Amino acid sequence: LSGLLQTNDKVALKEITRQLNLENVVGDKVFGSFAENLVFLLEALRKGNRTSSCPVLFILDEFDLFVHHKNQTLLYNLFDISQSAQTPVTVIGLTCRQVRNCAFSLKAFSCFRETFVLVGHLSEDKTVRDVLQNLFHYTKDLRTLHLLLMLAVSNVTVQHPLITASDLQEASKHYRTDSKANIVHGLSVLEICLIIAMKHLNDVYEGEPFNFQMVYNEFQKFIQRKAHCMYNFEKPVVMKAFEHLLQLELVKPIERPSVRVQREYLLMKLLLDNNQIMDALQVYPNCPTDVKQWAASSLSWL
């Protein structure tokens, strides 16, 4: 099931019935309510047993959208029946949405010495702090931090008993060598400029989400200062380039789109860190010098 398609429990229940081939069982019977349909499905699942019944696997993509269904009736019942001793049922929820926690900070993210004693002596090293800062802006997921540290720990040998700052730096480079960085090489100069504008917004607002209007304003500042090197595109053209970055999953919304929020003001997050951007610019073909200088500068020059 997909939260984007099955937008409420009634639609989801109809799709479950179709996929489980229960339509033939229903026959000409007409149910008067969602509750009657749900009772029918649950009874069908409860008739089986764990020794002879075929297992049923429910995969709920965009799981966070299912959580917003009214009363979460379907979820509660699926989880309940998966714990029963009847038909073997497993429910897997998939989502790429990050849970935002206002109390979660870089300071908390940096307390990795409590998890990995081997790297405790590096917690105040500037290089290590920079690596953590970039990772924190890219993702606040502690599992990603643990993966980075495990890559560094794997370098420990008898001859190299302690992890160094360079080990973490190399582990960070290895972790960041992914398809997203390679995608940057095929972008237009306009799209590169939008990514640089987002990079600066991340630096100024310490990784807080931004919207298209903020990105457009930063791009306009650059155009006004360096008008000779870049064509001043109309706003709809810039919006189209921004939407292309969304399609490529280099940028993603952090909240569900709403009819009450104009798309210019929908909060977004950049899925590239500073090092990925700067590394990609080094090999970007025919990138204007002014654009590279803008990427390397701070917003203070504005």
Side-chain angles (χ1 to χ4, degrees), residues 32-64:
S33 67
F34 164 76
E36 288 177 337
N37 277 278
L38 181 61
V39 168
F40 168 76
L41 172 66
L42 297 178
E43 284 302 317
L45 293 173
R46 289 191 178 110
K47 285 179 181 178
N49 60 73
R50 291 188 176 273
T51 58
S52 61
S53 296
C54 182
V56 182
L57 176 63
F58 288 87
I59 299 178
L60 309 183
D61 198 11
E62 305 289 348
F63 180 77
D64 53 290

Side-chain angles (χ1 to χ4, degrees), residues 120-223:
H121 66 287
L122 296 175
S123 59
E124 303 303 325
D125 186 280
K126 184 182 183 304
T127 300
V128 174
R129 299 291 297 177
D130 289 342
V131 168
L132 289 175
Q133 182 81 40
N134 288 330
L135 188 64
F136 181 74
H137 283 171
Y138 178 67
T139 174
K140 296 176 175 61
D141 187 357
L142 287 174
R143 291 172 299 180
T144 303
L145 174 62
H146 289 172
L147 174 60
L148 175 70
L149 295 175
M150 287 304 298
L151 288 173
V153 169
S154 65
N155 287 327
V156 171
T157 64
V158 175
Q159 294 77 24
H160 184 66
L162 295 176
I163 297 174
T164 64
S166 62
D167 289 330
L168 279 172
Q169 201 169 35
E170 285 301 314
S172 178
K173 289 180 181 179
H174 178 75
Y175 174 78
R176 290 185 289 103
T177 304
D178 58 12
S179 58
K180 283 188 171 61
N182 293 329
I183 290 174
V184 176
H185 302 160
L187 299 179
S188 67
V189 175
L190 171 58
E191 290 164 343
I192 288 288
C193 285
L194 295 183
I195 286 179
I196 294 171
M198 289 183 265
K199 169 186 176 295
H200 286 316
L201 289 172
N202 271 345
D203 291 341
V204 171
Y205 297 108
E206 298 182 341
E208 287 299 306
F210 50 80
N211 57 45
F212 168 75
Q213 188 61 48
M214 296 167 66
V215 176
Y216 181 74
N217 290 344
E218 293 305 324
F219 175 63
Q220 286 299 304
K221 291 177 185 178
F222 171 66
I223 291 296

Side-chain angles (χ1 to χ4, degrees), residues 279-296:
D279 290 347
L281 285 177
Q282 295 304 314
V283 295
Y284 186 85
N286 303 317
C287 184
T289 303
D290 286 336
V291 173
K292 286 186 176 182
Q293 290 176 345
W294 181 37

